Amino acid sequence: MQISAAQHSDVAAWLRLAEEVVPLFGPMPGFDAVLAREIAQKQAYCARTGIGSAAFTGCVLISNNGLQIAIRWLAVSSEFRRRGIGKMLVEAVLSSVLSESIIHVDTFVAGSSGSEADRRLYESCGFSPSEILGEADMIRQRYARKL
């Protein structure tokens, strides 16, 4: 498995993966514009089974404001889940940011679909649960880690 910075030629594969995870994340209007911006700013990483045009297996977007970093979106293709790809993507992000940074991710709250897998992933990467965010039908659990 290879983790690398995303390229503009990856957009179609990202959008296919985004469509696959709509049942988990909900519709993502304007995602293509966000994706193009993050790729241009070198804040997008992808996982592949090999070099070049090999299978696109997962991806992660971050926002990096100096010492405050957020994992904004992480997804792994259903056929490649539970193989450590999510962890490799998170570790790639962690290795790309400055020490002394604080990195966080807002993800599924306990009891919702996907929450157990997310908890295991982020805790295995050294994140700790912190506050619950949101209101009504958009409640999220924040996980944070100081580097």
Side-chain angles (χ1 to χ4, degrees):
M1 191 62 53
Q2 178 183 347
I3 308 296
S4 60
Q7 306 296 316
H8 287 287
S9 59
D10 295 322
V11 169
W14 279 72
L15 294 176
R16 282 191 301 275
L17 182 54
E19 193 63 34
E20 181 183 328
V21 297
V22 163
L24 291 171
F25 295 123
M28 296 171 278
F31 183 69
D32 52 342
V34 170
L35 178 58
R37 182 181 68 242
E38 299 301 335
I39 289 173
Q41 294 174 355
K42 307 284 189 227
Q43 298 186 124
Y45 299 87
C46 56
R48 302 173 193 280
T49 58
I51 298 171
S53 63
F56 190 89
T57 61
C59 46
V60 62
L61 291 176
I62 65 170
S63 63
N64 186 337
N65 299 315
L67 296 177
Q68 296 290 320
I69 293 91
I71 295 175
R72 296 183 58 207
W73 196 82
L74 184 145
V76 174
S77 177
S78 61
E79 77 178 274
F80 291 97
R81 290 184 190 142
R82 303 192 57 81
R83 296 184 187 184
I85 296 168
K87 186 170 185 172
M88 287 188 282
L89 287 163
V90 172
E91 288 172 346
V93 168
L94 294 172
S95 69
S96 74
V97 298
L98 299 171
S99 60
E100 302 302 315
S101 296
I102 297 173
I103 185 164
H104 74 269
V105 59
D106 299 337
T107 189
F108 304 108
V109 70
S112 62
S113 177
S115 66
E116 185 61 26
D118 279 9
R119 182 192 61 75
R120 281 192 316 269
L121 168 63
Y122 293 114
E123 288 181 0
S124 75
C125 291
F127 288 73
S128 298
S130 59
E131 68 264 32
I132 302 289
L133 306 166
E135 50 191 69
D137 63 340
M138 198 59 168
I139 298 174
R140 296 284 187 238
Q141 170 74 59
R142 177 164 284 181
Y143 286 81
R145 176 179 171 176
K146 183 171 181 172
L147 299 178

